[in-house]
Amino acid sequence: MIRLGTKYQHLVHGTGCGCLSPVLQQASRRLDEFSRRSFLAGLGAAAVTGIMPGRSFAQGPASKVLLSKVRLFDGKSDTLRAGVQVLIEGNRIASVDATNSAPPSDATVIDCGDRVLMPGMIDAHWHTLYAAVPLAVIATGDPGFVFSASTAEAERTLMRGFTTVRDLGSPVFSFKQAIDSGVIPGPRIFPSGAMITTSGGHGDLRMPSEIPPDSGRLSVSELVGAAAIADSIGDLKQRVREQLLQGASQVKIVGGGGVSSPRSPLDMSTFSEEELRAAIDVARDWNTYATVHAYAPNTVQRAIAAGAACIEHAHLMDEETARIMADKEVWLSTQPFLSTEDVAQQTGPSAERMLQVFAGTPRIYELVRKHGIKTAWGSDVLFSPELTPRQGIMLTHLSNWYTNAETLRIATSVNAELLALSNLRTPYPGKLGVIEEGALADMLVVDGNPLEDIRLIEDPEKNLAVIVKDGKVHKNTL
């Protein structure tokens, strides 16, 4: 394990959240007191208390599992393929067979009764530790409760059928390690590390008493990994490299203002084009990519000019910006925010900005369809245990602009294409988002046909009969 000394001890704790509020400062002080040993010990306890009744942590792993009598949605097609069986060996799909050949003698057979088999879903904009914990609890509660609540939510995320998430802001590196090593159940995590911003940008969570910084001393938000503040090209490159050395699969750069940061309006821009290019070049040197948080057209265009591979949000995008994005084949990762039901309660300037986002949502999807922009979907749920069950509903919002088959493709093979931009920095070598020979064995058995009724996704407890992640059966009600 890397040890970096007192000043940089935060670098072994994880990431910052791009959508956090300054109220997290109190929590930052408490979280910083947690050692790695205490953190992982807390996760071990949470793994015991957080497992929901009636579900196995992960059955097996059996060396071979055969899912027989399925109608297959492979993640790419418009239609189902009937009379198929899928064999899993270890954590890979060994075969997709329509000949009804006899199962291997040592295989566990799950008769799916002609139910629909589809790839596990991918959320391209998730906050693992902050999705289900209210701000008031984060600010005043014990950090052990924060991690315990997030542990339970990680399993609920998996039980909603989301077998992979791209985490774009929460101190998640050790948490990811706990999931990957089998200490707790949860989705695969593609971590970004601390969100990198300028002074005054979205993600600068300093209290007024911390401004200006004292002789280079890191602020509490930086110490906990909630932000990485850089105001020179040299510091910016260092901050990017620090995230990558911890295991970031991609880096997140703040190009402009945000909704829940009251001191950073949506129309502002932070890094210059030269600075953005420097950060993006470092990510390329590490054989991965940078995604840029941006809402306003000029901010999005600046990021594209600097070579960004992906833009987050962009709800204020105009026609010219959409055309440039399409011409440059830049990815858009955005969220279909439609009303206050989709977000945690906002007040003051943040509430006003959220109304701008609601107004921009229909327009951005119209531009996406018109110009053929490569578009990923994410839910960006934050600070609310009441909202996290709406993760699937946020996906079905796409039916306002897409067919059911298109929506399912976006949540599977299309989002997987975006994840593949992590290249050599991927935490999970192998194909995601599809059911085909050699792909990673993440899949769902749906009781009903989501190509006909996409809203089946909204009630996973009822409609997801089997959930498999990494070849292990996490749920089976058949």
Side-chain angles (χ1 to χ4, degrees):
M1 195 61 65
I2 298 174
R3 302 187 64 86
L4 300 175
T6 303
K7 181 175 181 180
Y8 292 100
Q9 186 60 40
H10 69 294
L11 296 178
V12 298
H13 281 280
T15 73
C17 178
C19 306
L20 299 183
S21 160
V23 73
L24 291 176
Q25 297 304 315
Q26 292 174 268
S28 295
R29 291 185 175 90
R30 294 187 177 208
L31 291 171
D32 188 54
E33 294 171 358
F34 254 51
S35 68
R36 177 175 290 270
R37 179 178 300 175
S38 298
F39 178 35
L40 291 177
L43 288 175
V48 175
T49 60
I51 295 174
M52 290 181 279
R55 297 191 180 97
S56 170
F57 178 78
Q59 298 168 3
S63 59
K64 296 177 184 177
V65 176
L66 182 73
L67 298 170
S68 67
K69 298 180 184 177
V70 303
R71 291 181 293 158
L72 179 65
F73 171 71
D74 62 8
K76 296 180 177 180
S77 304
D78 286 320
T79 59
L80 301 179
R81 183 181 171 193
V84 175
Q85 59 185 19
V86 175
L87 178 65
I88 301 168
E89 293 188 7
N91 71 340
R92 302 274 175 165
I93 297 172
S95 67
V96 178
D97 175 26
T99 66
N100 291 314
S101 57
S105 58
D106 57 345
T108 299
V109 178
I110 300 176
D111 184 341
C112 297
D114 292 326
R115 291 174 176 84
V116 172
L117 180 69
M118 62 173 284
M121 295 183 292
I122 300 167
D123 191 327
H125 195 124
W126 187 247
H127 298 276
T128 306
L129 294 185
Y130 296 139
V133 183
L135 271 174
V137 173
I138 294 174
T140 61
D142 186 283
F145 177 82
V146 173
F147 290 122
S148 295
S150 298
T151 297
E153 185 56 43
E155 184 180 20
R156 288 192 289 266
T157 303
L158 181 60
M159 290 300 107
R160 288 191 290 269
F162 292 94
T163 52
T164 300
V165 298
R166 189 176 63 139
D167 191 289
L168 291 180
S170 62
V172 77
F173 287 121
S174 294
F175 200 88
K176 172 188 177 298
Q177 181 183 355
I179 291 175
D180 292 346
S181 61
V183 174
I184 61 174
R188 302 177 189 271
I189 298 176
F190 281 69
S192 295
M195 187 181 63
I196 302 169
T197 183
T198 61
S199 294
H202 181 61
D204 180 353
L205 309 179
R206 291 177 296 171
M207 301 296 285
S209 60
E210 297 178 286
I211 302 172
D214 179 14
S215 302
R217 182 179 178 183
L218 296 174
S219 66
V220 290
S221 59
E222 293 173 284
L223 286 170
V224 74
I229 301 172
D231 291 306
S232 68
I233 287 181
D235 285 347
L236 174 59
K237 287 182 172 181
Q238 182 178 349
R239 298 288 90 83
V240 173
R241 289 170 178 142
E242 286 169 350
Q243 311 321 307
L244 292 166
L245 74 84
Q246 295 175 89
S249 50
Q250 65 284 321
V251 292
K252 181 179 179 182
I253 310 296
V254 176
V259 171
S260 58
S261 51
R263 295 174 288 181
S264 60
L266 293 184
D267 60 280
M268 74 173 289
S269 296
T270 53
F271 293 109
S272 68
E273 182 179 327
E274 180 185 11
E275 290 168 329
L276 288 172
R277 184 175 293 110
I280 290 164
D281 283 347
V282 171
R284 286 175 176 167
D285 286 345
W286 277 69
N287 291 302
T288 185
Y289 71 101
T291 188
V292 178
H293 165 108
Y295 281 94
N298 61 303
T299 310
V300 175
Q301 289 187 33
R302 179 181 292 182
I304 293 172
C310 183
I311 304 295
E312 301 298 318
H313 309 304
H315 287 82
L316 306 186
M317 185 167 66
D318 58 16
E319 185 90 31
E320 179 187 6
T321 307
R323 178 185 55 78
I324 294 171
M325 183 175 287
D327 289 346
K328 297 290 187 180
E329 297 186 339
V330 174
W331 277 87
L332 171 64
S333 169
T334 194
Q335 305 79 38
F337 291 123
L338 299 181
S339 71
T340 54
E341 292 183 342
D342 295 331
V343 296
Q345 184 177 359
Q346 305 286 344
T347 59
S350 293
E352 296 172 8
R353 292 173 201 156
M354 201 70 245
L355 293 177
Q356 289 181 268
V357 171
F358 294 153
T361 293
R363 174 65 170 160
I364 196 173
Y365 282 105
E366 290 168 6
L367 291 171
V368 161
R369 297 312 304 255
K370 178 179 179 179
H371 293 277
I373 296 170
K374 296 187 294 186
T375 304
W377 166 87
S379 63
D380 198 14
V381 174
L382 272 171
F383 307 138
S384 175
E386 292 76 31
L387 280 179
T388 53
R390 290 180 60 85
Q391 189 176 14
I393 295 174
M394 290 297 294
L395 174 60
T396 61
H397 280 347
L398 293 182
S399 63
N400 288 286
W401 304 280
Y402 297 95
T403 67
N404 292 346
E406 287 173 326
T407 296
L408 291 180
R409 283 202 297 269
I410 289 170
T412 54
S413 62
V414 173
N415 274 2
E417 289 178 34
L418 173 60
L419 298 182
L421 296 184
S422 292
N423 196 11
L424 298 181
R425 299 287 75 77
T426 180
Y428 311 103
K431 240 181 171 180
L432 291 166
V434 294
I435 295 180
E436 62 184 47
E437 185 175 334
L440 292 169
D442 296 356
M443 56 192 74
L444 315 172
V445 175
V446 185
D447 196 358
N449 183 358
L451 291 180
E452 295 177 351
D453 183 7
I454 192 65
R455 296 190 67 181
L456 292 169
I457 300 299
E458 297 178 6
D459 191 352
E461 184 173 0
K462 175 183 177 182
N463 299 319
L464 296 185
V466 178
I467 297 174
V468 179
K469 178 206 150 193
D470 204 37
K472 301 176 179 66
V473 179
H474 285 261
K475 178 183 178 182
N476 180 10
T477 61
L478 297 180

